[in-house]
Short mmCIF file of all heavy atoms in Angstrom, two decimals:
data_model
loop_
_atom_site.label_atom_id
_atom_site.label_comp_id
_atom_site.label_asym_id
_atom_site.label_seq_id
_atom_site.Cartn_x
_atom_site.Cartn_y
_atom_site.Cartn_z
N ASP Y 1 8.84 -35.98 -7.27
CA ASP Y 1 8.68 -37.42 -7.30
C ASP Y 1 7.23 -37.90 -7.40
O ASP Y 1 6.94 -39.02 -7.02
CB ASP Y 1 9.35 -38.02 -6.05
CG ASP Y 1 10.85 -37.85 -6.09
OD1 ASP Y 1 11.42 -37.88 -7.18
OD2 ASP Y 1 11.44 -37.70 -5.01
N ASP Y 2 6.33 -37.05 -7.76
CA ASP Y 2 4.95 -37.50 -7.89
C ASP Y 2 4.86 -38.48 -9.07
O ASP Y 2 5.27 -38.18 -10.19
CB ASP Y 2 4.03 -36.29 -8.13
CG ASP Y 2 2.59 -36.60 -7.84
OD1 ASP Y 2 2.34 -37.48 -6.99
OD2 ASP Y 2 1.73 -35.97 -8.45
N LEU Y 3 4.33 -39.65 -8.84
CA LEU Y 3 4.36 -40.74 -9.82
C LEU Y 3 2.95 -41.20 -10.17
O LEU Y 3 2.02 -41.07 -9.40
CB LEU Y 3 5.14 -41.92 -9.25
CG LEU Y 3 6.57 -41.60 -8.80
CD1 LEU Y 3 7.15 -42.79 -8.05
CD2 LEU Y 3 7.43 -41.22 -9.98
N ALA Y 4 2.77 -41.78 -11.33
CA ALA Y 4 1.43 -42.20 -11.73
C ALA Y 4 1.47 -43.24 -12.83
O ALA Y 4 2.52 -43.77 -13.15
CB ALA Y 4 0.65 -40.98 -12.16
N THR Y 5 0.33 -43.52 -13.43
CA THR Y 5 0.25 -44.68 -14.32
C THR Y 5 0.95 -44.52 -15.65
O THR Y 5 1.18 -45.50 -16.34
CB THR Y 5 -1.21 -45.08 -14.60
OG1 THR Y 5 -1.85 -44.03 -15.31
CG2 THR Y 5 -1.95 -45.40 -13.34
N MET Y 6 1.29 -43.31 -16.05
CA MET Y 6 2.12 -43.18 -17.24
C MET Y 6 3.56 -43.60 -16.91
O MET Y 6 4.31 -43.97 -17.80
CB MET Y 6 2.10 -41.75 -17.78
CG MET Y 6 0.79 -41.36 -18.41
SD MET Y 6 0.82 -39.71 -19.14
CE MET Y 6 1.67 -40.03 -20.68
N GLU Y 7 3.90 -43.53 -15.65
CA GLU Y 7 5.24 -43.88 -15.20
C GLU Y 7 5.34 -45.36 -14.87
O GLU Y 7 6.35 -46.00 -15.14
CB GLU Y 7 5.59 -43.05 -13.96
CG GLU Y 7 6.89 -43.42 -13.26
CD GLU Y 7 8.12 -42.84 -13.93
OE1 GLU Y 7 7.94 -41.94 -14.77
OE2 GLU Y 7 9.24 -43.29 -13.64
N HIS Y 8 4.28 -45.92 -14.30
CA HIS Y 8 4.33 -47.29 -13.79
C HIS Y 8 3.24 -48.15 -14.42
O HIS Y 8 2.16 -47.65 -14.75
CB HIS Y 8 4.17 -47.28 -12.27
CG HIS Y 8 5.18 -46.43 -11.57
ND1 HIS Y 8 6.51 -46.73 -11.54
CD2 HIS Y 8 5.06 -45.26 -10.90
CE1 HIS Y 8 7.17 -45.80 -10.86
NE2 HIS Y 8 6.30 -44.89 -10.49
N PRO Y 9 3.50 -49.44 -14.60
CA PRO Y 9 2.51 -50.31 -15.27
C PRO Y 9 1.34 -50.68 -14.38
O PRO Y 9 1.52 -51.25 -13.30
CB PRO Y 9 3.35 -51.55 -15.62
CG PRO Y 9 4.43 -51.58 -14.58
CD PRO Y 9 4.74 -50.14 -14.27
N VAL Y 10 0.15 -50.36 -14.82
CA VAL Y 10 -1.08 -50.68 -14.10
C VAL Y 10 -1.95 -51.62 -14.93
O VAL Y 10 -2.62 -52.50 -14.40
CB VAL Y 10 -1.86 -49.40 -13.76
CG1 VAL Y 10 -3.23 -49.72 -13.19
CG2 VAL Y 10 -1.07 -48.53 -12.77
N PHE Y 11 -1.92 -51.45 -16.26
CA PHE Y 11 -2.82 -52.18 -17.14
C PHE Y 11 -2.12 -53.35 -17.80
O PHE Y 11 -0.95 -53.29 -18.15
CB PHE Y 11 -3.37 -51.24 -18.22
CG PHE Y 11 -4.19 -50.11 -17.65
CD1 PHE Y 11 -3.60 -48.92 -17.29
CD2 PHE Y 11 -5.54 -50.27 -17.47
CE1 PHE Y 11 -4.34 -47.89 -16.75
CE2 PHE Y 11 -6.31 -49.24 -16.93
CZ PHE Y 11 -5.70 -48.05 -16.56
N SER Y 12 -2.87 -54.44 -17.96
CA SER Y 12 -2.34 -55.63 -18.62
C SER Y 12 -2.13 -55.37 -20.11
O SER Y 12 -2.93 -54.69 -20.75
CB SER Y 12 -3.30 -56.80 -18.43
OG SER Y 12 -2.88 -57.92 -19.20
N LEU Y 13 -1.05 -55.93 -20.65
CA LEU Y 13 -0.79 -55.83 -22.08
C LEU Y 13 -1.22 -57.09 -22.82
O LEU Y 13 -1.01 -57.20 -24.03
CB LEU Y 13 0.72 -55.60 -22.34
CG LEU Y 13 1.33 -54.37 -21.66
CD1 LEU Y 13 2.79 -54.22 -22.07
CD2 LEU Y 13 0.56 -53.11 -22.01
N SER Y 14 -1.86 -58.00 -22.11
CA SER Y 14 -2.30 -59.25 -22.71
C SER Y 14 -3.59 -59.04 -23.51
O SER Y 14 -4.43 -58.21 -23.14
CB SER Y 14 -2.53 -60.31 -21.63
OG SER Y 14 -3.04 -61.50 -22.20
N THR Y 15 -3.74 -59.78 -24.59
CA THR Y 15 -4.97 -59.74 -25.38
C THR Y 15 -5.94 -60.85 -24.95
O THR Y 15 -7.03 -60.96 -25.49
CB THR Y 15 -4.67 -59.87 -26.87
OG1 THR Y 15 -3.91 -61.07 -27.10
CG2 THR Y 15 -3.85 -58.67 -27.37
N ARG Y 16 -5.52 -61.67 -24.01
CA ARG Y 16 -6.37 -62.73 -23.45
C ARG Y 16 -6.63 -62.42 -21.98
O ARG Y 16 -5.90 -61.64 -21.37
CB ARG Y 16 -5.69 -64.10 -23.58
CG ARG Y 16 -5.43 -64.51 -25.03
CD ARG Y 16 -4.73 -65.84 -25.10
NE ARG Y 16 -4.47 -66.26 -26.48
CZ ARG Y 16 -3.85 -67.40 -26.82
NH1 ARG Y 16 -3.43 -68.22 -25.87
NH2 ARG Y 16 -3.67 -67.70 -28.09
N PRO Y 17 -7.66 -63.01 -21.38
CA PRO Y 17 -7.92 -62.75 -19.96
C PRO Y 17 -6.67 -63.00 -19.12
O PRO Y 17 -6.08 -64.08 -19.17
CB PRO Y 17 -9.04 -63.74 -19.63
CG PRO Y 17 -9.76 -63.94 -20.93
CD PRO Y 17 -8.69 -63.90 -21.99
N ASP Y 18 -6.25 -61.99 -18.39
CA ASP Y 18 -5.01 -62.03 -17.61
C ASP Y 18 -5.40 -62.05 -16.13
O ASP Y 18 -5.88 -61.06 -15.59
CB ASP Y 18 -4.16 -60.79 -17.94
CG ASP Y 18 -2.77 -60.87 -17.33
OD1 ASP Y 18 -2.54 -61.73 -16.46
OD2 ASP Y 18 -1.91 -60.06 -17.73
N ARG Y 19 -5.18 -63.18 -15.48
CA ARG Y 19 -5.60 -63.34 -14.08
C ARG Y 19 -4.42 -63.41 -13.13
O ARG Y 19 -4.53 -63.92 -12.01
CB ARG Y 19 -6.50 -64.57 -13.94
CG ARG Y 19 -7.81 -64.44 -14.75
CD ARG Y 19 -8.75 -65.61 -14.54
NE ARG Y 19 -10.00 -65.40 -15.25
CZ ARG Y 19 -10.20 -65.78 -16.52
NH1 ARG Y 19 -9.23 -66.39 -17.19
NH2 ARG Y 19 -11.36 -65.56 -17.11
N ARG Y 20 -3.28 -62.88 -13.58
CA ARG Y 20 -2.11 -62.82 -12.70
C ARG Y 20 -2.29 -61.72 -11.65
O ARG Y 20 -2.96 -60.72 -11.91
CB ARG Y 20 -0.84 -62.51 -13.49
CG ARG Y 20 -0.45 -63.57 -14.53
CD ARG Y 20 0.69 -63.04 -15.38
NE ARG Y 20 0.30 -61.83 -16.10
CZ ARG Y 20 1.15 -60.85 -16.44
NH1 ARG Y 20 2.42 -60.93 -16.13
NH2 ARG Y 20 0.70 -59.79 -17.10
N ILE Y 21 -1.68 -61.88 -10.50
CA ILE Y 21 -1.53 -60.79 -9.54
C ILE Y 21 -0.19 -60.14 -9.81
O ILE Y 21 0.86 -60.80 -9.75
CB ILE Y 21 -1.61 -61.30 -8.09
CG1 ILE Y 21 -2.98 -61.90 -7.80
CG2 ILE Y 21 -1.29 -60.17 -7.11
CD1 ILE Y 21 -3.12 -62.47 -6.41
N LEU Y 22 -0.21 -58.87 -10.18
CA LEU Y 22 1.02 -58.18 -10.58
C LEU Y 22 1.64 -57.47 -9.38
O LEU Y 22 0.94 -56.76 -8.64
CB LEU Y 22 0.71 -57.15 -11.68
CG LEU Y 22 0.05 -57.68 -12.95
CD1 LEU Y 22 -0.13 -56.56 -13.96
CD2 LEU Y 22 0.86 -58.82 -13.56
N GLU Y 23 2.94 -57.68 -9.18
CA GLU Y 23 3.68 -57.01 -8.12
C GLU Y 23 4.74 -56.14 -8.79
O GLU Y 23 5.47 -56.61 -9.66
CB GLU Y 23 4.36 -58.02 -7.20
CG GLU Y 23 3.40 -58.97 -6.50
CD GLU Y 23 2.72 -58.32 -5.30
OE1 GLU Y 23 3.10 -57.19 -4.93
OE2 GLU Y 23 1.81 -58.97 -4.72
N TYR Y 24 4.83 -54.89 -8.37
CA TYR Y 24 5.77 -53.95 -8.98
C TYR Y 24 6.36 -53.04 -7.92
O TYR Y 24 5.65 -52.59 -7.01
CB TYR Y 24 5.03 -53.10 -10.03
CG TYR Y 24 5.85 -51.98 -10.64
CD1 TYR Y 24 6.69 -52.22 -11.72
CD2 TYR Y 24 5.75 -50.68 -10.14
CE1 TYR Y 24 7.43 -51.20 -12.29
CE2 TYR Y 24 6.48 -49.65 -10.70
CZ TYR Y 24 7.33 -49.91 -11.78
OH TYR Y 24 8.06 -48.90 -12.32
N GLU Y 25 7.66 -52.80 -8.01
CA GLU Y 25 8.32 -51.87 -7.10
C GLU Y 25 9.42 -51.15 -7.86
O GLU Y 25 10.21 -51.78 -8.59
CB GLU Y 25 8.91 -52.60 -5.90
CG GLU Y 25 9.54 -51.65 -4.88
CD GLU Y 25 9.95 -52.35 -3.60
OE1 GLU Y 25 9.66 -53.56 -3.47
OE2 GLU Y 25 10.57 -51.69 -2.74
N HIS Y 26 9.48 -49.84 -7.73
CA HIS Y 26 10.48 -49.05 -8.43
C HIS Y 26 10.64 -47.70 -7.73
O HIS Y 26 9.68 -46.97 -7.54
CB HIS Y 26 10.07 -48.82 -9.89
CG HIS Y 26 11.13 -48.18 -10.73
ND1 HIS Y 26 12.24 -48.86 -11.18
CD2 HIS Y 26 11.24 -46.92 -11.22
CE1 HIS Y 26 12.99 -48.05 -11.90
NE2 HIS Y 26 12.41 -46.86 -11.93
N ASN Y 27 11.87 -47.41 -7.33
CA ASN Y 27 12.19 -46.11 -6.72
C ASN Y 27 11.25 -45.74 -5.57
O ASN Y 27 10.77 -44.62 -5.46
CB ASN Y 27 12.16 -45.00 -7.77
CG ASN Y 27 13.31 -45.12 -8.76
OD1 ASN Y 27 14.27 -45.85 -8.51
ND2 ASN Y 27 13.20 -44.43 -9.87
N GLY Y 28 10.97 -46.71 -4.70
CA GLY Y 28 10.15 -46.43 -3.54
C GLY Y 28 8.66 -46.58 -3.75
O GLY Y 28 7.88 -46.46 -2.81
N VAL Y 29 8.24 -46.83 -4.98
CA VAL Y 29 6.82 -47.03 -5.28
C VAL Y 29 6.52 -48.52 -5.25
O VAL Y 29 7.20 -49.32 -5.89
CB VAL Y 29 6.45 -46.46 -6.66
CG1 VAL Y 29 5.05 -46.88 -7.06
CG2 VAL Y 29 6.57 -44.94 -6.64
N GLN Y 30 5.51 -48.90 -4.46
CA GLN Y 30 5.05 -50.29 -4.44
C GLN Y 30 3.65 -50.36 -5.02
O GLN Y 30 2.85 -49.45 -4.81
CB GLN Y 30 5.04 -50.84 -3.01
CG GLN Y 30 6.40 -50.95 -2.35
CD GLN Y 30 6.79 -49.70 -1.61
OE1 GLN Y 30 5.94 -49.04 -1.02
NE2 GLN Y 30 8.07 -49.34 -1.64
N MET Y 31 3.39 -51.43 -5.73
CA MET Y 31 2.08 -51.58 -6.34
C MET Y 31 1.73 -53.06 -6.46
O MET Y 31 2.58 -53.87 -6.84
CB MET Y 31 2.06 -50.94 -7.73
CG MET Y 31 0.73 -51.03 -8.45
SD MET Y 31 0.88 -50.55 -10.18
CE MET Y 31 1.59 -48.93 -10.02
N THR Y 32 0.51 -53.39 -6.10
CA THR Y 32 -0.04 -54.72 -6.34
C THR Y 32 -1.34 -54.54 -7.11
O THR Y 32 -2.21 -53.76 -6.71
CB THR Y 32 -0.33 -55.47 -5.03
OG1 THR Y 32 0.88 -55.59 -4.28
CG2 THR Y 32 -0.87 -56.86 -5.31
N VAL Y 33 -1.46 -55.23 -8.24
CA VAL Y 33 -2.66 -55.14 -9.08
C VAL Y 33 -3.30 -56.53 -9.08
O VAL Y 33 -2.68 -57.50 -9.52
CB VAL Y 33 -2.32 -54.69 -10.51
CG1 VAL Y 33 -3.62 -54.47 -11.31
CG2 VAL Y 33 -1.48 -53.42 -10.50
N THR Y 34 -4.53 -56.59 -8.59
CA THR Y 34 -5.22 -57.87 -8.43
C THR Y 34 -6.42 -57.93 -9.36
O THR Y 34 -7.25 -57.02 -9.36
CB THR Y 34 -5.70 -58.05 -6.97
OG1 THR Y 34 -4.59 -57.89 -6.08
CG2 THR Y 34 -6.31 -59.43 -6.77
N PRO Y 35 -6.54 -58.98 -10.16
CA PRO Y 35 -7.65 -59.06 -11.12
C PRO Y 35 -8.94 -59.57 -10.48
O PRO Y 35 -8.93 -60.13 -9.39
CB PRO Y 35 -7.13 -60.07 -12.13
CG PRO Y 35 -6.30 -61.02 -11.31
CD PRO Y 35 -5.64 -60.14 -10.27
N SER Y 36 -10.03 -59.35 -11.19
CA SER Y 36 -11.29 -60.00 -10.85
C SER Y 36 -11.35 -61.32 -11.62
O SER Y 36 -10.39 -61.69 -12.30
CB SER Y 36 -12.47 -59.11 -11.24
OG SER Y 36 -12.57 -59.03 -12.66
N VAL Y 37 -12.46 -62.02 -11.51
CA VAL Y 37 -12.59 -63.27 -12.25
C VAL Y 37 -12.57 -63.02 -13.76
O VAL Y 37 -12.31 -63.93 -14.54
CB VAL Y 37 -13.89 -64.01 -11.86
CG1 VAL Y 37 -13.83 -64.46 -10.41
CG2 VAL Y 37 -15.10 -63.13 -12.10
N ARG Y 38 -12.82 -61.78 -14.18
CA ARG Y 38 -12.81 -61.45 -15.61
C ARG Y 38 -11.42 -61.03 -16.08
O ARG Y 38 -11.23 -60.73 -17.25
CB ARG Y 38 -13.80 -60.33 -15.91
CG ARG Y 38 -15.25 -60.76 -15.66
CD ARG Y 38 -16.22 -59.66 -16.04
NE ARG Y 38 -17.60 -60.08 -15.84
CZ ARG Y 38 -18.32 -60.77 -16.73
NH1 ARG Y 38 -17.78 -61.09 -17.89
NH2 ARG Y 38 -19.57 -61.10 -16.47
N GLY Y 39 -10.46 -60.99 -15.17
CA GLY Y 39 -9.10 -60.65 -15.54
C GLY Y 39 -8.76 -59.20 -15.25
O GLY Y 39 -9.62 -58.39 -14.85
N LEU Y 40 -7.51 -58.87 -15.45
CA LEU Y 40 -7.01 -57.51 -15.22
C LEU Y 40 -7.56 -56.55 -16.27
O LEU Y 40 -7.81 -56.94 -17.42
CB LEU Y 40 -5.49 -57.49 -15.29
CG LEU Y 40 -4.73 -58.24 -14.20
CD1 LEU Y 40 -3.27 -58.42 -14.62
CD2 LEU Y 40 -4.82 -57.50 -12.88
N ALA Y 41 -7.72 -55.30 -15.88
CA ALA Y 41 -8.03 -54.26 -16.86
C ALA Y 41 -6.88 -54.14 -17.85
O ALA Y 41 -5.71 -54.24 -17.47
CB ALA Y 41 -8.27 -52.93 -16.16
N THR Y 42 -7.20 -53.95 -19.11
CA THR Y 42 -6.18 -53.92 -20.15
C THR Y 42 -5.87 -52.49 -20.59
O THR Y 42 -6.62 -51.55 -20.29
CB THR Y 42 -6.64 -54.72 -21.38
OG1 THR Y 42 -7.69 -53.98 -22.05
CG2 THR Y 42 -7.16 -56.10 -21.00
N ILE Y 43 -4.79 -52.35 -21.34
CA ILE Y 43 -4.41 -51.03 -21.84
C ILE Y 43 -5.48 -50.48 -22.78
O ILE Y 43 -5.66 -49.27 -22.88
CB ILE Y 43 -3.04 -51.11 -22.56
CG1 ILE Y 43 -2.45 -49.71 -22.79
CG2 ILE Y 43 -3.14 -51.88 -23.86
CD1 ILE Y 43 -1.93 -49.05 -21.55
N HIS Y 44 -6.25 -51.35 -23.43
CA HIS Y 44 -7.35 -50.89 -24.29
C HIS Y 44 -8.54 -50.44 -23.43
O HIS Y 44 -9.28 -49.53 -23.82
CB HIS Y 44 -7.77 -51.97 -25.26
CG HIS Y 44 -6.77 -52.21 -26.37
ND1 HIS Y 44 -6.71 -51.41 -27.48
CD2 HIS Y 44 -5.80 -53.13 -26.51
CE1 HIS Y 44 -5.73 -51.82 -28.27
NE2 HIS Y 44 -5.17 -52.87 -27.70
#
């Protein structure tokens, strides 16, 4: 059950500054991703 970022979404898929706080839970994994004033890190 070792899990990581290929399994779970960590990076924003937006092409514009994304300042949402992302909440994710799946199969016992909890994750909160909080942006800076410059926005979330993107998949690029």
Side-chain angles (χ1 to χ4, degrees):
D1 293 328
D2 199 28
L3 304 171
T5 64
M6 289 184 79
E7 173 80 14
H8 304 293
V10 172
F11 297 90
S12 172
L13 303 183
S14 176
T15 55
R16 298 179 180 180
D18 189 347
R19 297 184 177 89
R20 297 172 299 151
I21 296 178
L22 303 182
E23 300 280 353
Y24 174 85
E25 183 172 356
H26 187 75
N27 291 345
V29 170
Q30 295 90 36
M31 181 191 305
T32 301
V33 186
T34 306
S36 68
V37 294
R38 295 183 179 274
L40 294 166
T42 72
I43 194 73
H44 288 279

